[in-house]
Amino acid sequence: MQILQAALADVEAQLGDSTERLKATFDDVILQAEQIAYNKYLNAEAVYGGQILTAFLNELFGEDLSADLATMEREFRQHFHLLDKFFLSLAQGRKSRAGSAFEFFHHALFRKLGYPFEEQTLLSDSKPDFLMPSAAYYQQNPLHSIVFTAKRTLRERWRQITTEGTRGIGMYLATIDSKVTSQQLQHMVGHKIFLVVPEQIRRKAYPDATNVLSFARFFEDHLDPKLRIWKRDGVL
């Protein structure tokens, strides 16, 4: 959490932290916060990994590390699977934290911009990351609600959220994945799912896809009009 907060603070220091500035640069904020957090995590991981390996070598050979190469090779071969599990756990933890970081940034930035939401609310058999403005309002006014999920990479996981999309309310799936296929995008159209990506990714990977939005366009054409309705209905 400290790494994520520090990354967001670094981006705000560069781009400004006013709500107007944050909203105007949201596409860049997401990308930069992701990259800064990833670099900070790699640095912290390297320090931790180095400490573990040093302790491991000391346990095998003693602090003077005077064992000959043949002995060291034999010991490494004997403990290879232990080392393999260690490095695999680091890689798996990195992927898991990256996904959590992507959701955290949306949470923090939506809060800062004043958008109301509830998190991880169960809808039928799906659980989107953000339900705007609330579950109670959604039950009464699904067409005026926003169902929003953030997944750093997609692969086939976008199918997990299609259930609510079939009800006709439409859903928004934020990602920085640039490898969604045209066939997948067409399936999303059928389920009324909009992909929300930074403008830099939209221009490069999805320039002609009608259901792919930049964050700026998502705010302007989809979220802010709903915000005016919520204010009118006394939600805010």
Side-chain angles (χ1 to χ4, degrees):
M1 185 65 71
Q2 291 179 341
I3 288 177
L4 303 183
Q5 292 171 339
L8 201 54
D10 286 352
V11 175
E12 289 177 344
Q14 296 175 31
L15 301 177
D17 61 353
S18 70
T19 55
E20 295 81 6
R21 179 64 175 165
L22 176 59
K23 197 171 184 180
T25 59
F26 201 98
D27 291 270
D28 294 327
V29 169
I30 285 293
L31 282 177
Q32 292 192 29
E34 275 283 316
Q35 189 59 56
I36 291 173
Y38 184 69
N39 290 338
K40 287 180 179 292
Y41 180 78
L42 287 181
N43 290 336
E45 184 183 72
V47 172
Y48 170 72
Q51 292 171 342
I52 294 297
L53 286 176
T54 297
F56 179 73
L57 291 172
N58 286 338
E59 179 68 22
L60 289 182
F61 308 114
E63 295 186 4
D64 61 358
L65 296 179
S66 59
D68 59 50
L69 289 177
T71 300
M72 295 181 72
E73 181 182 1
R74 183 175 62 253
E75 291 292 337
F76 276 120
R77 188 186 309 116
Q78 181 179 348
H79 294 87
F80 170 77
H81 293 294
L82 181 62
L83 288 169
D84 184 53
K85 288 181 180 180
F86 171 67
F87 287 113
L88 181 60
S89 70
L90 286 182
Q92 291 174 334
R94 191 184 311 132
K95 292 178 181 178
S96 175
R97 287 178 175 85
S100 299
F102 193 61
E103 183 179 336
F104 167 83
F105 291 136
H106 285 83
H107 176 282
L109 294 170
F110 283 160
R111 284 283 186 228
K112 194 154 193 172
L113 291 172
Y115 292 115
F117 60 83
E118 291 182 8
E119 295 180 86
Q120 300 294 328
T121 301
L122 181 63
L123 301 178
S124 183
D125 59 354
S126 66
K127 188 181 288 187
D129 295 325
F130 304 96
L131 182 59
M132 302 178 179
S134 68
Y137 186 88
Y138 170 84
Q139 295 301 325
Q140 297 297 320
N141 301 281
L143 294 178
H144 289 165
S145 301
I146 293 286
V147 182
F148 189 99
T149 287
K151 291 188 179 297
R152 189 177 187 274
T153 57
L154 297 185
R155 292 186 285 277
E156 291 298 316
R157 289 181 295 173
W158 66 271
R159 297 182 185 277
Q160 299 170 4
I161 66 167
T162 58
T163 301
E164 289 301 318
T166 62
R167 293 186 56 186
I169 63 172
M171 300 187 66
Y172 303 88
L173 177 54
T175 187
I176 55 173
D177 195 334
S178 62
K179 298 180 180 179
V180 181
T181 67
S182 57
Q183 184 178 23
Q184 288 174 321
L185 289 174
Q186 283 303 311
H187 283 308
M188 292 181 194
V189 169
H191 290 286
K192 298 181 176 63
I193 296 176
F194 287 93
L195 213 61
V196 185
V197 302
E199 175 62 15
Q200 178 180 339
I201 293 177
R202 190 201 67 80
R203 286 198 311 266
K204 183 177 180 179
Y206 315 110
D208 301 318
T210 58
N211 62 323
V212 179
L213 310 169
S214 67
F215 282 95
R217 183 58 62 87
F218 167 66
F219 290 135
E220 182 179 356
D221 292 352
H222 298 261
L223 184 50
D224 286 346
K226 291 292 194 299
L227 187 66
R228 290 191 287 271
I229 293 174
W230 302 336
K231 290 180 179 179
R232 183 200 65 194
D233 290 348
V235 176
L236 301 181

